[in-house]
Amino acid sequence: MSSQVTEKMESSVAVKEYLQGFPLPSSYEAAMEALSSLITGKKRGDKSSASTFGKLERMSEYLKILGLEEHLDGLKIIHVAGTKGKGSTCTFCEAILRECGFQTGLFTSPHLIDVRERFRINGLDVSEDKFLLYFWGCWYQLKENVTERLPMPPLFQFLTILAFKIFICEKVDVAIIEVGLGGTTDSTNVIKKPVVCGITSLGMDHTETLGNTLGEIASHKAGIFKPQIPAFTVRQLSEAMDVILERAHELKVPLKVVAPFDNKKLDGLKLGLSGDHQFINAGLAVSLCKCWLQRTGNWEKPFQNDTQEADLPEAFLRGLSTAQISGRAQTFYDTHSKSSDSLKLSETSCGDLIFYLDGAHSPESMEVCANWFSSAVNENKKSSSSFKDRNLEEVWGNGNIQHEIRSMEESEKSLKRILLFNCMDVRDPHILLPRLASTCASSGTHFAKALFVPSMSTYNKVTYGASVIPSDISGRDLSWQFNLQRLWEKIIHGKEVGTFHDKGARMDNTAIVPPHEFLYLDASHCSPVDNYFACSAVMPSLPLTIKWLRDCVKQNPSLKVQVLVTGSLHLVGDVLKLLKR
């Protein structure tokens, strides 16, 4: 038995021995209840008043209590901040180094279905047994030592500490850590000695916390730089790049700007993550991994089966082509909507219900999402012989989008593209929705219908895949969804319009969903008449929406429905949770 395996066993035994004196709940649900108690209810940007310590001082205190502070310096960490693509970049890094033969740990956020998604060991979510072991070990040890001056950590701080605990006890060779929010004061910035740091593409997001200019945001992101520790970034707007360069100069950080990955180097393979923007993230990941290998004395390991003259080791190519991440440019073919007789149909056959899921929630990521969706559905159209080419003509005027589609009845009678949308109220839909609609339209992609739906997740409870889905929708406030619908109608028709259910904007006990014919009507019937909208609807709940879409497809076998789910990672996670049940 190797010394590394022995050490792992010893660390697990130590945790088990410590827990013997405590009543250890066996159910996963009990752990979720405990985690939920750490949700503070504070909005992003609120200053914490519960402790006399600053956030990073508090993190250091928690690490001392758990005996992790010294061990943290021994983790060989890749630390990544950014606005867009940091999760994808981390995922590429993990896949590359795992293919190189290293034991990997990956910490990302948020999770979509189960909190264990945030902690990945060798490409897999940490097992439920190990999660519970390390969770309760941290929980009881912290509970024993909290004081009025140092209360229990809020949710994200606890999860960050738990990630360090898991990766240290599991003796990973490399830990890839994604920043949660910002950089300078993020909980992950308790890391003092990373091997290398990275900053992905920057944009305007979380302005309530990070500032209202790109320079202010860049200052927060560059806060993860450590003196003389190498760092990499991608091409940025000058306002952001100037700040990053200045910070690097102050700390004597060797900083390199990385070009997007050259598709030709893939040697016929495809990136595991979809979308042209992923070449930017892949380029950064390759540079981070090369630096990590060099600085840890492992540069020759990936070349064991290759010639040193190879531009990229085969392991790098395998990692780039096999990397996977849920909820970002993800395509999900729903077989539930097919009858038992049609389950053998191919993915491109008529009668399909296909979900395109992307958790875009900033203006820049919404544009990237729209480009990906347009590319994906157009590629799907080209590969299907049942759909003929369409001649599209777009007319722009008075801020609205009108489209004349020749031979609509012939070319699109079997294909419907649906937008399923929601966003948090801290987002600005007046920016997100027009950006989505205009970017799709510029590629000839138009939505037959738009559905606006409330979230299923609650922000005061940590749920998981088997969590009970609330069925009572009575009295639910849908005013936000009606506002989104009104905005969408203005974008489509170029004028202010009312909404049919504005009165009270609450659902009674009768679930109101449109008749199936609503989906079948073509775009020529989309003009609002008597405050009824034929091209958009507010849906009472997400479970009812998924059921309604499935029923529509079941009842019309000639129908092909492509649903873009976007605006919120919470929405994407909820949809995936329902589709996988």
Side-chain angles (χ1 to χ4, degrees):
M1 187 180 296
S2 70
S3 60
Q4 192 178 48
V5 173
T6 303
E7 287 173 346
K8 283 185 183 180
M9 291 175 61
E10 288 174 350
S11 62
S12 297
V13 169
V15 176
K16 289 178 180 176
E17 287 178 350
Y18 171 78
L19 288 172
Q20 282 180 351
F22 296 94
L24 186 61
S26 59
S27 77
Y28 194 64
E29 189 172 358
M32 297 306 101
E33 291 290 340
L35 268 181
S36 298
S37 72
L38 302 179
I39 298 175
T40 63
K42 290 180 179 291
K43 290 186 176 181
R44 282 172 167 152
D46 288 354
K47 303 296 183 184
S48 176
S49 57
S51 172
T52 57
F53 296 97
K55 183 193 286 185
L56 295 183
E57 292 177 299
R58 205 160 55 235
M59 285 292 294
S60 293
E61 291 298 314
Y62 295 137
L63 292 173
K64 287 177 184 175
I65 290 171
L66 296 171
L68 298 177
E69 194 171 43
E70 291 182 7
H71 296 287
L72 183 60
D73 289 342
L75 278 181
K76 295 181 174 64
I77 292 172
I78 297 175
H79 198 193
V80 181
T83 305
K84 300 169 292 179
K86 61 183 186 290
S88 298
T89 299
C90 288
T91 300
F92 276 131
C93 285
E94 189 280 328
I96 289 170
L97 293 176
R98 174 163 40 86
E99 288 293 341
C100 287
F102 297 99
Q103 303 293 309
T104 60
L106 174 64
F107 176 60
T108 58
S109 60
H111 64 273
L112 297 181
I113 298 176
D114 194 299
V115 72
R116 291 182 295 113
E117 297 166 24
R118 297 179 185 237
F119 319 96
R120 307 200 92 193
I121 303 292
N122 297 325
L124 300 174
D125 299 351
V126 66
S127 69
E128 191 170 305
D129 287 344
K130 282 188 176 179
F131 175 84
L132 290 173
L133 177 70
Y134 295 127
F135 172 82
W136 291 116
C138 289
W139 180 268
Y140 283 121
Q141 214 166 341
L142 289 174
K143 274 285 189 182
E144 275 190 322
N145 289 277
V146 295
T147 64
E148 189 174 338
R149 293 176 64 247
L150 186 70
M152 284 291 283
L155 179 64
F156 186 73
Q157 290 179 41
F158 184 91
L159 294 175
T160 304
I161 294 162
L162 182 57
F164 295 146
K165 176 72 171 179
I166 292 171
F167 297 157
I168 288 167
C169 288
E170 290 297 307
K171 304 288 182 183
V172 298
D173 298 317
V174 56
I176 300 107
I177 306 293
E178 178 192 359
V179 167
L181 176 64
T184 303
T185 59
D186 185 71
S187 299
T188 65
N189 208 28
V190 72
I191 297 167
K192 296 175 182 175
K193 296 179 181 179
V195 173
V196 61
C197 297
I199 296 181
T200 65
S201 301
L202 300 185
M204 299 298 292
D205 198 16
H206 302 302
T207 53
E208 74 282 359
T209 303
L210 305 180
N212 294 309
T213 69
L214 206 52
E216 289 177 299
I217 291 171
S219 179
H220 277 277
K221 307 295 184 180
I224 69 168
F225 287 173
K226 301 299 183 294
Q228 300 179 4
I229 299 294
F232 295 84
T233 189
V234 300
R235 295 165 184 166
Q236 311 280 2
L237 293 176
S238 58
E239 185 182 354
M241 188 62 82
D242 289 346
V243 173
I244 293 172
L245 290 171
E246 183 181 355
R247 180 66 173 169
H249 178 73
E250 289 172 0
L251 295 175
K252 295 183 172 58
V253 168
L255 175 69
K256 291 184 180 179
V257 180
V258 181
F261 187 76
D262 185 355
N263 186 34
K264 295 175 183 176
K265 294 181 179 180
L266 282 171
D267 196 24
L269 297 173
K270 286 187 176 182
L271 291 179
L273 306 183
S274 301
D276 291 342
H277 62 289
Q278 293 295 356
F279 287 100
I280 298 174
N281 302 324
L284 179 57
V286 166
S287 292
L288 290 169
C289 289
K290 282 183 174 180
C291 182
W292 186 90
L293 288 166
Q294 289 163 348
R295 298 199 73 226
T296 57
N298 288 296
W299 176 242
E300 293 188 4
K301 185 170 183 177
F303 289 99
Q304 287 176 352
N305 298 318
D306 298 329
T307 61
Q308 283 281 2
E309 288 73 29
D311 188 25
L312 270 184
E314 286 291 329
F316 274 55
L317 298 180
R318 289 197 303 271
L320 290 170
S321 63
T322 58
Q324 291 188 338
I325 186 170
S326 294
R328 280 82 160 181
Q330 179 181 1
T331 304
F332 189 100
Y333 292 84
D334 183 46
T335 56
H336 191 281
S337 60
K338 298 178 181 178
S339 66
S340 57
D341 293 334
S342 63
L343 282 176
K344 295 181 181 179
L345 293 174
S346 68
E347 290 178 342
T348 57
S349 64
C350 292
D352 278 344
L353 175 57
I354 309 170
F355 290 87
Y356 298 82
L357 305 111
D358 192 281
H361 51 267
S362 70
E364 294 87 358
S365 61
M366 193 60 68
E367 185 172 335
V368 167
C369 167
N371 283 323
W372 162 72
F373 175 68
S374 297
S375 175
V377 296
N378 286 328
E379 185 176 323
N380 188 299
K381 180 183 70 174
K382 289 176 185 176
S383 66
S384 175
S385 59
S386 61
F387 297 104
K388 296 182 179 179
D389 291 340
R390 292 169 296 163
N391 293 316
L392 301 180
E393 201 172 292
E394 294 162 316
V395 182
W396 290 80
N398 300 321
N400 65 310
I401 304 171
Q402 301 170 353
H403 29 105
E404 299 176 7
I405 306 181
R406 295 175 187 162
S407 305
M408 168 72 78
E409 295 293 330
E410 286 301 315
S411 61
E412 281 211 358
K413 64 181 180 180
S414 296
L415 174 63
K416 299 294 180 182
R417 291 185 182 132
I418 310 297
L419 172 64
L420 182 58
F421 187 91
N422 191 34
C423 64
M424 296 175 67
D425 58 9
V426 296
R427 307 293 175 189
D428 189 349
H430 292 84
I431 298 175
L432 299 182
L433 284 172
R435 183 76 65 96
L436 174 66
S438 62
T439 305
C440 283
S442 68
S443 300
T445 302
H446 303 281
F447 295 101
K449 311 292 174 186
L451 306 177
F452 301 98
V453 62
S455 290
M456 191 171 74
S457 297
T458 57
Y459 302 111
N460 61 352
K461 185 174 178 60
V462 179
T463 58
Y464 58 106
S467 295
V468 176
I469 296 174
S471 57
D472 182 17
I473 60 171
S474 60
R476 175 171 288 178
D477 184 1
L478 297 174
S479 55
W480 177 249
Q481 282 67 43
F482 282 110
N483 286 337
L484 294 174
Q485 182 189 34
R486 186 161 40 237
L487 173 59
W488 181 258
E489 294 292 335
K490 181 181 179 182
I491 294 168
I492 298 300
H493 302 293
K495 60 183 179 180
E496 293 281 358
V497 288
T499 49
F500 187 68
H501 284 110
D502 262 355
K503 299 176 181 178
R506 289 184 179 274
M507 284 291 173
D508 58 21
N509 287 320
T510 304
I512 303 172
V513 295
H516 295 157
E517 288 71 23
F518 167 79
L519 183 59
Y520 307 149
L521 288 173
D522 63 55
S524 63
H525 299 98
C526 203
S527 298
V529 178
D530 297 328
N531 279 339
Y532 173 76
F533 301 124
C535 60
S536 69
V538 170
M539 306 296 278
S541 76
L542 190 54
L544 284 174
T545 304
I546 300 299
K547 182 181 184 302
W548 180 80
L549 286 167
R550 285 170 165 170
D551 289 345
C552 286
V553 173
K554 280 181 181 178
Q555 293 191 14
N556 191 340
S558 67
L559 192 65
K560 187 184 189 74
V561 178
Q562 299 170 329
V563 185
L564 174 62
V565 183
T566 191
S568 163
L569 276 168
H570 295 286
L571 173 64
V572 167
D574 288 343
V575 169
L576 282 172
K577 187 182 294 185
L578 289 167
L579 294 178
K580 291 182 177 182
R581 286 205 166 189

